């Protein structure tokens, strides 16, 4: 059965691949699973039909037969469990990949996302510069640690896995901030993720939605 995911009809990031349907698209592309996309306006995301799928009225969601899921991490995990290619067969290596998935979403993403939000909503506050510095210090601490762990390896734990897919997705939000450039091995790691054919297909599909919304 072909799953259906939801995405922004008009993404606030203007097609830069940062909306969280991107990581789900990428996972589906990695495992070769075709999918449908239902596009939503911000208004539709808060209406009962969508709230029945997603309690917080957000994207992405994932529907497949009787199953409806929300939370990008849970969706990527579901895809990785159902298809070969995103989690290792060895039980211990699999557990470690799952740990990296959680690390990406719980440990690395929060300060990065807070910085992105602050730069939009708090820019005019008198304490903005101070807040930005504090957030960037937190991000640098995580990047330093991650950079140390990655070393000169291509991926975080052996072959590319769902852990890398989520970690690269999270780090991509730092592009253009200069922060990632301070850690050349992390910049190269993100570039390796972006160079994957599955990533490119997912990115192009998400960008096509934004272009269609802007020209239609
Ligand atoms: N933790 C959730 C976050 C979902 C989320 O923040 N989605 C954003 C798009 S990237 C959204 O729907 N924003 C609109 C809103 O919250 O109203 C996940 O990973 O799926």
């Amino acid at each position: 059965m072909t799953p259906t995911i939801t995405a922004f009809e008009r993404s606030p990031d203007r097609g830069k691949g940062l909306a969280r349907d991107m990581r789900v698209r990428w996972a589906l592309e990695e495992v070769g699973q075709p999918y449908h996309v239902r596009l939503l306006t911000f208004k539709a995301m808060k209406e009962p039909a969508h709230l029945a799928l997603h309690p917080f009225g957000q994207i992405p969601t994932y529907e497949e037969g009787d199953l409806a899921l929300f939370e990008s991490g849970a969706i990527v995990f579901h895809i990785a469990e159902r298809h070969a290619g995103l989690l290792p067969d060895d039980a211990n290596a699999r557990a470690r990949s799952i740990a990296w998935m959680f690390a990406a979403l719980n440990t690395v993403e929060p300060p990065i996302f807070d910085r992105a939000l602050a730069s939009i909503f708090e820019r005019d506050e008198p304490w903005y510069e101070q807040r930005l510095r504090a957030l960037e210090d937190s991000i640098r601490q995580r990047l330093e640690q991650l950079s140390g762990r990655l070393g000169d390896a291509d991926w975080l734990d052996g072959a590319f896995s769902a852990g890398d897919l989520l970690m690269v997705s999270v780090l991509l939000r730092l592009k253009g901030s200069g922060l990632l450039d301070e850690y050349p091995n992390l910049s190269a790691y993100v570039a390796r993720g972006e160079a994957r054919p599955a990533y490119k297909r997912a990115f192009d599909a998400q960008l096509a939605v934004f272009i269609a919304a802007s020209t239609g």
Side-chain angles (χ1 to χ4, degrees), residues 8 19-20 23 42 45-46 57-60 71-73:
F8 284 129
R20 287 175 175 87
R23 47 189 77 168
F42 272 90
M45 285 163 55
K46 309 301 173 196
Q58 296 181 312
I59 59 99
E71 282 296 330
S72 59

Side-chain angles (χ1 to χ4, degrees), residues 40-155:
L40 296 173
T41 60
F42 272 90
K43 182 168 173 288
M45 285 163 55
K46 309 301 173 196
E47 285 171 357
H50 187 66
L51 287 170
L53 293 172
H54 195 308
F56 310 116
Q58 296 181 312
I59 59 99
T61 57
Y62 176 99
E63 293 154 77
E64 185 186 21
D66 292 343
L67 176 68
L69 286 176
F70 60 98
E71 282 296 330
S72 59
I75 299 170
V76 170
F77 183 45
H78 171 76
I79 295 165
E81 282 215 305
R82 294 292 163 97
H83 302 268
L86 283 175
L87 284 175
D89 291 334
D90 173 77
N92 285 352
R94 197 176 178 89
R96 289 195 303 272
S97 292
I98 295 167
W100 280 117
M101 294 176 70
F102 278 87
L105 302 179
N106 282 356
T107 305
V108 179
E109 185 167 46
I112 293 176
F113 193 61
D114 285 351
R115 178 186 178 279
L117 288 182
S119 69
I120 298 169
F121 298 114
E122 295 167 359
R123 188 169 280 279
D124 296 332
E125 300 293 346
W127 36 260
Y128 174 66
E129 288 304 327
Q130 204 180 346
R131 163 114 170 110
L132 189 66
R133 264 198 305 279
L135 285 169
E136 293 192 343
D137 285 349
S138 304
I139 294 170
R140 276 196 187 90
Q141 188 186 13
R142 290 295 175 239
L143 296 184
E144 180 82 34
Q145 293 160 328
L146 190 64
S147 168
R149 173 55 81 100
L150 180 66
D152 58 7
D154 279 354
W155 307 113

